[in-house]
mmCIF file of all heavy atoms in Angstrom:
data_model
loop_
_atom_site.group_PDB
_atom_site.id
_atom_site.type_symbol
_atom_site.label_atom_id
_atom_site.label_comp_id
_atom_site.label_asym_id
_atom_site.label_seq_id
_atom_site.Cartn_x
_atom_site.Cartn_y
_atom_site.Cartn_z
ATOM 1 N N SER U 20 0.810 -1.195 0.131
ATOM 2 C CA SER U 20 -0.033 -0.026 -0.047
ATOM 3 C C SER U 20 0.875 1.327 0.031
ATOM 4 O O SER U 20 0.382 2.303 -0.627
ATOM 5 C CB SER U 20 -0.891 -0.030 1.303
ATOM 6 O OG SER U 20 -1.753 -1.148 1.276
ATOM 7 N N LEU U 21 2.018 1.226 0.719
ATOM 8 C CA LEU U 21 2.754 2.420 0.840
ATOM 9 C C LEU U 21 3.986 2.448 -0.023
ATOM 10 O O LEU U 21 4.252 3.200 -1.039
ATOM 11 C CB LEU U 21 3.160 2.617 2.299
ATOM 12 C CG LEU U 21 2.036 2.705 3.151
ATOM 13 C CD1 LEU U 21 2.497 2.752 4.700
ATOM 14 C CD2 LEU U 21 1.136 3.978 2.898
ATOM 15 N N ILE U 22 4.964 1.589 0.182
ATOM 16 C CA ILE U 22 6.332 1.564 -0.472
ATOM 17 C C ILE U 22 6.226 1.236 -1.951
ATOM 18 O O ILE U 22 6.909 1.862 -2.688
ATOM 19 C CB ILE U 22 7.159 0.526 0.206
ATOM 20 C CG1 ILE U 22 7.311 0.673 1.829
ATOM 21 C CG2 ILE U 22 8.636 0.474 -0.394
ATOM 22 C CD1 ILE U 22 7.761 2.078 2.144
ATOM 23 N N SER U 23 5.209 0.346 -2.323
ATOM 24 C CA SER U 23 5.078 0.005 -3.768
ATOM 25 C C SER U 23 4.157 0.866 -4.438
ATOM 26 O O SER U 23 3.771 0.706 -5.617
ATOM 27 C CB SER U 23 4.625 -1.421 -3.855
ATOM 28 O OG SER U 23 5.582 -2.410 -3.507
ATOM 29 N N SER U 24 3.669 1.939 -3.834
ATOM 30 C CA SER U 24 2.817 2.900 -4.460
ATOM 31 C C SER U 24 3.596 3.870 -5.318
ATOM 32 O O SER U 24 4.842 4.120 -5.325
ATOM 33 C CB SER U 24 1.972 3.679 -3.448
ATOM 34 O OG SER U 24 2.957 4.521 -2.655
ATOM 35 N N PRO U 25 2.945 4.597 -6.388
ATOM 36 C CA PRO U 25 3.582 5.507 -7.221
ATOM 37 C C PRO U 25 4.375 6.541 -6.592
ATOM 38 O O PRO U 25 5.430 7.090 -7.194
ATOM 39 C CB PRO U 25 2.507 6.074 -7.991
ATOM 40 C CG PRO U 25 1.379 4.935 -8.091
ATOM 41 C CD PRO U 25 1.502 4.340 -6.656
ATOM 42 N N ARG U 26 4.054 6.851 -5.365
ATOM 43 C CA ARG U 26 4.878 8.032 -4.750
ATOM 44 C C ARG U 26 6.327 7.622 -4.543
ATOM 45 O O ARG U 26 7.078 8.516 -4.291
ATOM 46 C CB ARG U 26 4.156 8.439 -3.453
ATOM 47 C CG ARG U 26 4.409 7.331 -2.288
ATOM 48 C CD ARG U 26 3.494 7.662 -1.046
ATOM 49 N NE ARG U 26 2.138 7.468 -1.305
ATOM 50 C CZ ARG U 26 1.103 7.678 -0.474
ATOM 51 N NH1 ARG U 26 1.472 8.277 0.677
ATOM 52 N NH2 ARG U 26 -0.117 7.383 -0.807
ATOM 53 N N PHE U 27 6.585 6.429 -4.665
ATOM 54 C CA PHE U 27 8.120 5.922 -4.415
ATOM 55 C C PHE U 27 8.682 5.369 -5.589
ATOM 56 O O PHE U 27 9.717 4.888 -5.628
ATOM 57 C CB PHE U 27 8.144 4.737 -3.265
ATOM 58 C CG PHE U 27 7.802 5.303 -1.794
ATOM 59 C CD1 PHE U 27 6.537 5.042 -1.282
ATOM 60 C CD2 PHE U 27 8.768 6.005 -1.189
ATOM 61 C CE1 PHE U 27 6.359 5.449 -0.055
ATOM 62 C CE2 PHE U 27 8.556 6.554 0.105
ATOM 63 C CZ PHE U 27 7.325 6.265 0.734
ATOM 64 N N TYR U 28 7.995 5.520 -6.832
ATOM 65 C CA TYR U 28 8.590 5.120 -7.973
ATOM 66 C C TYR U 28 9.774 6.025 -8.324
ATOM 67 O O TYR U 28 9.825 7.149 -8.110
ATOM 68 C CB TYR U 28 7.542 5.251 -9.226
ATOM 69 C CG TYR U 28 6.404 4.160 -9.203
ATOM 70 C CD1 TYR U 28 6.473 3.127 -8.161
ATOM 71 C CD2 TYR U 28 5.591 4.111 -10.217
ATOM 72 C CE1 TYR U 28 5.430 2.241 -8.202
ATOM 73 C CE2 TYR U 28 4.516 3.242 -10.255
ATOM 74 C CZ TYR U 28 4.462 2.250 -9.238
ATOM 75 O OH TYR U 28 3.414 1.185 -9.274
ATOM 76 N N LYS U 29 10.673 5.349 -9.093
ATOM 77 C CA LYS U 29 11.769 6.144 -9.643
ATOM 78 C C LYS U 29 11.401 6.513 -11.099
ATOM 79 O O LYS U 29 11.038 5.716 -11.843
ATOM 80 C CB LYS U 29 13.118 5.248 -9.776
ATOM 81 C CG LYS U 29 14.191 5.999 -10.499
ATOM 82 C CD LYS U 29 15.549 5.323 -10.630
ATOM 83 C CE LYS U 29 16.304 5.432 -9.392
ATOM 84 N NZ LYS U 29 17.600 4.870 -9.415
ATOM 85 N N ARG U 30 11.295 7.829 -11.337
ATOM 86 C CA ARG U 30 10.715 8.258 -12.597
ATOM 87 C C ARG U 30 11.905 8.729 -13.485
ATOM 88 O O ARG U 30 12.787 9.538 -13.147
ATOM 89 C CB ARG U 30 9.764 9.492 -12.377
ATOM 90 C CG ARG U 30 8.619 9.234 -11.355
ATOM 91 C CD ARG U 30 7.839 10.680 -11.115
ATOM 92 N NE ARG U 30 7.305 11.225 -12.299
ATOM 93 C CZ ARG U 30 6.149 10.851 -12.855
ATOM 94 N NH1 ARG U 30 5.371 9.877 -12.282
ATOM 95 N NH2 ARG U 30 5.713 11.481 -13.905
ATOM 96 N N VAL U 31 11.942 8.063 -14.631
ATOM 97 C CA VAL U 31 13.009 8.050 -15.534
ATOM 98 C C VAL U 31 12.702 8.570 -16.936
ATOM 99 O O VAL U 31 11.605 8.322 -17.442
ATOM 100 C CB VAL U 31 13.597 6.492 -15.783
ATOM 101 C CG1 VAL U 31 14.945 6.558 -16.635
ATOM 102 C CG2 VAL U 31 13.871 5.948 -14.327
ATOM 103 N N LEU U 32 13.676 9.287 -17.435
ATOM 104 C CA LEU U 32 13.744 9.793 -18.853
ATOM 105 C C LEU U 32 14.681 9.064 -19.699
ATOM 106 O O LEU U 32 15.857 9.086 -19.220
ATOM 107 C CB LEU U 32 13.788 11.340 -18.888
ATOM 108 C CG LEU U 32 13.812 11.924 -20.332
ATOM 109 C CD1 LEU U 32 12.391 11.851 -20.810
ATOM 110 C CD2 LEU U 32 14.292 13.359 -20.169
ATOM 111 N N VAL U 33 14.354 8.455 -20.786
ATOM 112 C CA VAL U 33 15.405 7.823 -21.627
ATOM 113 C C VAL U 33 15.725 8.624 -22.776
ATOM 114 O O VAL U 33 14.872 9.168 -23.485
ATOM 115 C CB VAL U 33 14.723 6.429 -22.184
ATOM 116 C CG1 VAL U 33 15.746 5.702 -22.978
ATOM 117 C CG2 VAL U 33 14.365 5.547 -20.896
ATOM 118 N N VAL U 34 16.938 8.688 -23.024
ATOM 119 C CA VAL U 34 17.572 9.338 -24.288
ATOM 120 C C VAL U 34 18.145 8.407 -25.092
ATOM 121 O O VAL U 34 19.232 7.678 -24.621
ATOM 122 C CB VAL U 34 18.609 10.454 -23.677
ATOM 123 C CG1 VAL U 34 19.230 11.172 -24.951
ATOM 124 C CG2 VAL U 34 17.931 11.525 -22.878
ATOM 125 N N GLY U 35 17.785 8.290 -26.423
ATOM 126 C CA GLY U 35 18.156 7.268 -27.231
ATOM 127 C C GLY U 35 18.341 7.650 -28.650
ATOM 128 O O GLY U 35 17.536 8.508 -29.001
ATOM 129 N N ASP U 36 19.070 7.044 -29.508
ATOM 130 C CA ASP U 36 19.175 7.495 -30.819
ATOM 131 C C ASP U 36 18.817 6.282 -31.920
ATOM 132 O O ASP U 36 18.521 6.653 -33.019
ATOM 133 C CB ASP U 36 20.639 7.939 -31.100
ATOM 134 C CG ASP U 36 21.688 6.964 -30.912
ATOM 135 O OD1 ASP U 36 21.399 5.749 -30.607
ATOM 136 O OD2 ASP U 36 22.839 7.271 -30.854
ATOM 137 N N SER U 37 18.838 5.082 -31.461
ATOM 138 C CA SER U 37 18.506 4.101 -32.357
ATOM 139 C C SER U 37 17.826 2.823 -31.659
ATOM 140 O O SER U 37 17.899 1.796 -32.383
ATOM 141 C CB SER U 37 19.710 3.595 -33.236
ATOM 142 O OG SER U 37 20.670 3.105 -32.326
ATOM 143 N N PHE U 38 17.397 2.912 -30.502
ATOM 144 C CA PHE U 38 16.831 1.802 -29.738
ATOM 145 C C PHE U 38 15.346 2.056 -29.709
ATOM 146 O O PHE U 38 14.762 2.983 -29.842
ATOM 147 C CB PHE U 38 17.388 1.872 -28.236
ATOM 148 C CG PHE U 38 18.809 1.529 -28.164
ATOM 149 C CD1 PHE U 38 19.769 2.552 -28.126
ATOM 150 C CD2 PHE U 38 19.243 0.198 -28.068
ATOM 151 C CE1 PHE U 38 21.228 2.085 -27.963
ATOM 152 C CE2 PHE U 38 20.593 -0.088 -28.060
ATOM 153 C CZ PHE U 38 21.470 0.908 -27.999
ATOM 154 N N ASP U 39 14.706 0.805 -29.556
ATOM 155 C CA ASP U 39 13.275 0.759 -29.320
ATOM 156 C C ASP U 39 13.006 1.170 -27.960
ATOM 157 O O ASP U 39 13.051 0.324 -26.969
ATOM 158 C CB ASP U 39 12.706 -0.642 -29.755
ATOM 159 C CG ASP U 39 11.209 -0.599 -29.772
ATOM 160 O OD1 ASP U 39 10.614 0.131 -28.999
ATOM 161 O OD2 ASP U 39 10.663 -1.489 -30.457
ATOM 162 N N ILE U 40 12.621 2.394 -27.699
ATOM 163 C CA ILE U 40 12.288 2.887 -26.388
ATOM 164 C C ILE U 40 11.363 2.073 -25.567
ATOM 165 O O ILE U 40 11.314 1.987 -24.431
ATOM 166 C CB ILE U 40 11.933 4.412 -26.303
ATOM 167 C CG1 ILE U 40 12.915 5.145 -27.179
ATOM 168 C CG2 ILE U 40 11.921 4.883 -24.909
ATOM 169 C CD1 ILE U 40 14.413 5.196 -26.594
ATOM 170 N N LYS U 41 10.330 1.590 -26.370
ATOM 171 C CA LYS U 41 9.190 0.837 -25.740
ATOM 172 C C LYS U 41 9.767 -0.422 -25.208
ATOM 173 O O LYS U 41 9.288 -0.783 -24.158
ATOM 174 C CB LYS U 41 8.138 0.648 -26.836
ATOM 175 C CG LYS U 41 6.897 -0.180 -26.402
ATOM 176 C CD LYS U 41 5.895 -0.422 -27.412
ATOM 177 C CE LYS U 41 4.725 -1.188 -26.907
ATOM 178 N NZ LYS U 41 3.785 -1.423 -28.004
ATOM 179 N N LEU U 42 10.594 -1.104 -25.919
ATOM 180 C CA LEU U 42 11.130 -2.292 -25.409
ATOM 181 C C LEU U 42 12.004 -2.034 -24.156
ATOM 182 O O LEU U 42 11.960 -2.838 -23.156
ATOM 183 C CB LEU U 42 11.919 -3.018 -26.540
ATOM 184 C CG LEU U 42 11.169 -3.636 -27.540
ATOM 185 C CD1 LEU U 42 12.207 -4.268 -28.688
ATOM 186 C CD2 LEU U 42 10.155 -4.691 -27.171
ATOM 187 N N ILE U 43 12.703 -0.925 -24.157
ATOM 188 C CA ILE U 43 13.522 -0.556 -23.008
ATOM 189 C C ILE U 43 12.572 -0.424 -21.759
ATOM 190 O O ILE U 43 12.969 -0.970 -20.677
ATOM 191 C CB ILE U 43 14.397 0.706 -23.337
ATOM 192 C CG1 ILE U 43 15.363 0.348 -24.343
ATOM 193 C CG2 ILE U 43 14.989 1.141 -21.999
ATOM 194 C CD1 ILE U 43 16.171 1.605 -24.753
ATOM 195 N N ALA U 44 11.528 0.297 -21.913
ATOM 196 C CA ALA U 44 10.636 0.669 -20.830
ATOM 197 C C ALA U 44 10.062 -0.691 -20.301
ATOM 198 O O ALA U 44 9.874 -0.914 -19.084
ATOM 199 C CB ALA U 44 9.492 1.550 -21.262
ATOM 200 N N GLU U 45 9.554 -1.557 -21.232
ATOM 201 C CA GLU U 45 9.000 -2.782 -20.867
ATOM 202 C C GLU U 45 9.913 -3.703 -20.063
ATOM 203 O O GLU U 45 9.446 -4.359 -19.039
ATOM 204 C CB GLU U 45 8.331 -3.450 -22.084
ATOM 205 C CG GLU U 45 7.166 -2.793 -22.632
ATOM 206 C CD GLU U 45 6.731 -3.518 -23.945
ATOM 207 O OE1 GLU U 45 7.410 -4.317 -24.397
ATOM 208 O OE2 GLU U 45 5.702 -3.161 -24.370
ATOM 209 N N ALA U 46 11.214 -3.697 -20.562
ATOM 210 C CA ALA U 46 12.165 -4.704 -19.960
ATOM 211 C C ALA U 46 12.517 -4.112 -18.618
ATOM 212 O O ALA U 46 12.565 -4.967 -17.621
ATOM 213 C CB ALA U 46 13.348 -4.756 -20.711
ATOM 214 N N LEU U 47 12.638 -2.771 -18.374
ATOM 215 C CA LEU U 47 13.009 -2.300 -17.026
ATOM 216 C C LEU U 47 11.865 -2.378 -16.054
ATOM 217 O O LEU U 47 12.067 -2.804 -14.909
ATOM 218 C CB LEU U 47 13.481 -0.883 -17.160
ATOM 219 C CG LEU U 47 14.807 -0.658 -18.010
ATOM 220 C CD1 LEU U 47 15.077 0.793 -18.097
ATOM 221 C CD2 LEU U 47 15.992 -1.366 -17.327
ATOM 222 N N GLN U 48 10.708 -2.014 -16.560
ATOM 223 C CA GLN U 48 9.526 -2.034 -15.623
ATOM 224 C C GLN U 48 8.916 -3.442 -15.268
ATOM 225 O O GLN U 48 8.356 -3.648 -14.237
ATOM 226 C CB GLN U 48 8.335 -1.281 -16.201
ATOM 227 C CG GLN U 48 8.641 0.313 -16.239
ATOM 228 C CD GLN U 48 7.620 1.020 -16.919
ATOM 229 O OE1 GLN U 48 7.901 2.235 -17.303
ATOM 230 N NE2 GLN U 48 6.431 0.513 -17.257
ATOM 231 N N LYS U 49 9.276 -4.473 -16.107
ATOM 232 C CA LYS U 49 8.957 -5.864 -15.857
ATOM 233 C C LYS U 49 9.874 -6.374 -14.799
ATOM 234 O O LYS U 49 9.384 -7.086 -13.866
ATOM 235 C CB LYS U 49 9.094 -6.682 -17.167
ATOM 236 C CG LYS U 49 8.728 -8.079 -16.949
ATOM 237 C CD LYS U 49 8.937 -8.937 -18.120
ATOM 238 C CE LYS U 49 8.671 -10.420 -17.979
ATOM 239 N NZ LYS U 49 8.849 -11.222 -19.123
ATOM 240 N N SER U 50 11.109 -6.050 -14.716
ATOM 241 C CA SER U 50 11.952 -6.482 -13.720
ATOM 242 C C SER U 50 11.880 -5.687 -12.437
ATOM 243 O O SER U 50 12.046 -6.318 -11.339
ATOM 244 C CB SER U 50 13.438 -6.384 -14.291
ATOM 245 O OG SER U 50 13.694 -7.136 -15.400
ATOM 246 N N ASP U 51 11.494 -4.438 -12.447
ATOM 247 C CA ASP U 51 11.327 -3.728 -11.246
ATOM 248 C C ASP U 51 10.129 -2.819 -11.388
ATOM 249 O O ASP U 51 10.072 -1.834 -12.170
ATOM 250 C CB ASP U 51 12.679 -2.738 -11.104
ATOM 251 C CG ASP U 51 12.514 -1.901 -9.830
ATOM 252 O OD1 ASP U 51 11.478 -2.141 -9.081
ATOM 253 O OD2 ASP U 51 13.353 -1.036 -9.462
ATOM 254 N N PRO U 52 8.943 -3.300 -10.792
ATOM 255 C CA PRO U 52 7.738 -2.534 -10.934
ATOM 256 C C PRO U 52 7.847 -1.072 -10.384
ATOM 257 O O PRO U 52 6.889 -0.369 -10.866
ATOM 258 C CB PRO U 52 6.795 -3.359 -9.965
ATOM 259 C CG PRO U 52 7.369 -4.806 -9.873
ATOM 260 C CD PRO U 52 8.865 -4.459 -9.966
ATOM 261 N N ASN U 53 8.809 -0.775 -9.581
ATOM 262 C CA ASN U 53 8.833 0.502 -9.051
ATOM 263 C C ASN U 53 9.724 1.467 -9.963
ATOM 264 O O ASN U 53 10.021 2.613 -9.658
ATOM 265 C CB ASN U 53 9.479 0.637 -7.706
ATOM 266 C CG ASN U 53 8.363 0.041 -6.637
ATOM 267 O OD1 ASN U 53 7.388 -0.621 -7.078
ATOM 268 N ND2 ASN U 53 8.575 0.454 -5.462
ATOM 269 N N TYR U 54 10.201 1.033 -11.075
ATOM 270 C CA TYR U 54 11.022 1.734 -12.009
ATOM 271 C C TYR U 54 10.138 2.179 -13.207
ATOM 272 O O TYR U 54 9.719 1.344 -14.043
ATOM 273 C CB TYR U 54 12.187 0.870 -12.629
ATOM 274 C CG TYR U 54 13.343 1.645 -13.252
ATOM 275 C CD1 TYR U 54 14.465 1.901 -12.399
ATOM 276 C CD2 TYR U 54 13.369 1.878 -14.501
ATOM 277 C CE1 TYR U 54 15.486 2.607 -12.954
ATOM 278 C CE2 TYR U 54 14.340 2.568 -15.093
ATOM 279 C CZ TYR U 54 15.375 2.901 -14.298
ATOM 280 O OH TYR U 54 16.548 3.577 -14.816
ATOM 281 N N PHE U 55 9.774 3.546 -13.163
ATOM 282 C CA PHE U 55 8.740 3.949 -14.060
ATOM 283 C C PHE U 55 9.310 4.922 -15.232
ATOM 284 O O PHE U 55 9.990 5.906 -14.896
ATOM 285 C CB PHE U 55 7.652 4.713 -13.435
ATOM 286 C CG PHE U 55 6.601 5.200 -14.209
ATOM 287 C CD1 PHE U 55 5.746 4.362 -14.847
ATOM 288 C CD2 PHE U 55 6.393 6.586 -14.356
ATOM 289 C CE1 PHE U 55 4.776 4.909 -15.585
ATOM 290 C CE2 PHE U 55 5.413 7.103 -15.196
ATOM 291 C CZ PHE U 55 4.513 6.202 -15.792
ATOM 292 N N VAL U 56 9.367 4.440 -16.424
ATOM 293 C CA VAL U 56 9.855 5.252 -17.572
ATOM 294 C C VAL U 56 8.823 6.230 -18.081
ATOM 295 O O VAL U 56 7.661 5.784 -18.671
ATOM 296 C CB VAL U 56 10.236 4.346 -18.833
ATOM 297 C CG1 VAL U 56 10.771 5.211 -19.851
ATOM 298 C CG2 VAL U 56 11.370 3.299 -18.316
ATOM 299 N N VAL U 57 8.958 7.403 -17.737
ATOM 300 C CA VAL U 57 7.975 8.515 -18.033
ATOM 301 C C VAL U 57 7.899 8.732 -19.523
ATOM 302 O O VAL U 57 6.910 8.831 -20.115
ATOM 303 C CB VAL U 57 8.331 9.891 -17.228
ATOM 304 C CG1 VAL U 57 7.304 10.808 -17.546
ATOM 305 C CG2 VAL U 57 8.256 9.521 -15.668
ATOM 306 N N GLY U 58 9.146 8.951 -20.109
ATOM 307 C CA GLY U 58 9.121 9.387 -21.575
ATOM 308 C C GLY U 58 10.574 9.130 -22.172
ATOM 309 O O GLY U 58 11.373 8.644 -21.447
ATOM 310 N N TYR U 59 10.683 9.843 -23.275
ATOM 311 C CA TYR U 59 11.938 9.720 -24.159
ATOM 312 C C TYR U 59 12.123 10.775 -24.987
ATOM 313 O O TYR U 59 11.481 11.627 -25.264
ATOM 314 C CB TYR U 59 11.902 8.327 -24.932
ATOM 315 C CG TYR U 59 10.863 8.509 -26.025
ATOM 316 C CD1 TYR U 59 11.282 9.016 -27.276
ATOM 317 C CD2 TYR U 59 9.488 8.260 -25.908
ATOM 318 C CE1 TYR U 59 10.414 9.069 -28.334
ATOM 319 C CE2 TYR U 59 8.582 8.424 -26.767
ATOM 320 C CZ TYR U 59 9.021 8.796 -28.062
ATOM 321 O OH TYR U 59 8.109 8.989 -29.092
ATOM 322 N N ILE U 60 13.536 10.892 -25.302
ATOM 323 C CA ILE U 60 14.013 11.978 -26.230
ATOM 324 C C ILE U 60 14.691 11.069 -27.206
ATOM 325 O O ILE U 60 15.585 10.376 -27.005
ATOM 326 C CB ILE U 60 14.936 12.993 -25.623
ATOM 327 C CG1 ILE U 60 14.161 13.790 -24.627
ATOM 328 C CG2 ILE U 60 15.566 13.777 -26.812
ATOM 329 C CD1 ILE U 60 15.063 14.887 -23.965
ATOM 330 N N ASN U 61 14.169 11.113 -28.494
ATOM 331 C CA ASN U 61 14.806 10.316 -29.693
ATOM 332 C C ASN U 61 15.825 11.275 -30.438
ATOM 333 O O ASN U 61 15.429 12.261 -31.056
ATOM 334 C CB ASN U 61 13.670 9.976 -30.652
ATOM 335 C CG ASN U 61 14.211 9.174 -31.801
ATOM 336 O OD1 ASN U 61 15.405 8.682 -31.683
ATOM 337 N ND2 ASN U 61 13.418 9.011 -32.782
ATOM 338 N N THR U 62 17.009 10.974 -30.357
ATOM 339 C CA THR U 62 18.001 11.779 -30.891
ATOM 340 C C THR U 62 18.419 11.430 -32.239
ATOM 341 O O THR U 62 19.210 12.171 -32.951
ATOM 342 C CB THR U 62 19.306 11.723 -30.056
ATOM 343 O OG1 THR U 62 19.736 10.383 -29.998
ATOM 344 C CG2 THR U 62 19.076 12.159 -28.646
ATOM 345 N N ASP U 63 17.751 10.405 -32.792
ATOM 346 C CA ASP U 63 18.133 10.015 -34.262
ATOM 347 C C ASP U 63 16.823 10.258 -34.968
ATOM 348 O O ASP U 63 15.691 9.644 -34.996
ATOM 349 C CB ASP U 63 18.314 8.499 -34.285
ATOM 350 C CG ASP U 63 18.772 8.162 -35.759
ATOM 351 O OD1 ASP U 63 18.799 8.897 -36.580
ATOM 352 O OD2 ASP U 63 19.180 6.929 -35.761
#
């Protein structure tokens, strides 16, 4: 109820140039539910 709630998520911004950001977000959040990828900057 408390520690696993969104208030304790790590909010992340991904900067990439040729990677599939969606796959990166899914892989990280699947392994750690409290690791939340907010968005991305595509440099390519």
Side-chain angles (χ1 to χ4, degrees):
S20 302
L21 301 175
I22 307 301
S23 290
S24 65
R26 74 188 72 183
F27 289 104
Y28 284 1
K29 173 177 280 189
R30 300 175 63 82
V31 180
L32 179 67
V33 177
V34 176
D36 55 14
S37 60
F38 290 94
D39 190 331
I40 309 298
K41 182 180 178 182
L42 289 179
I43 291 176
E45 289 176 349
L47 296 176
Q48 290 173 193
K49 180 181 177 182
S50 299
D51 182 3
N53 287 24
Y54 198 94
F55 182 66
V56 178
V57 177
Y59 67 97
I60 294 178
N61 180 19
T62 61
D63 187 354

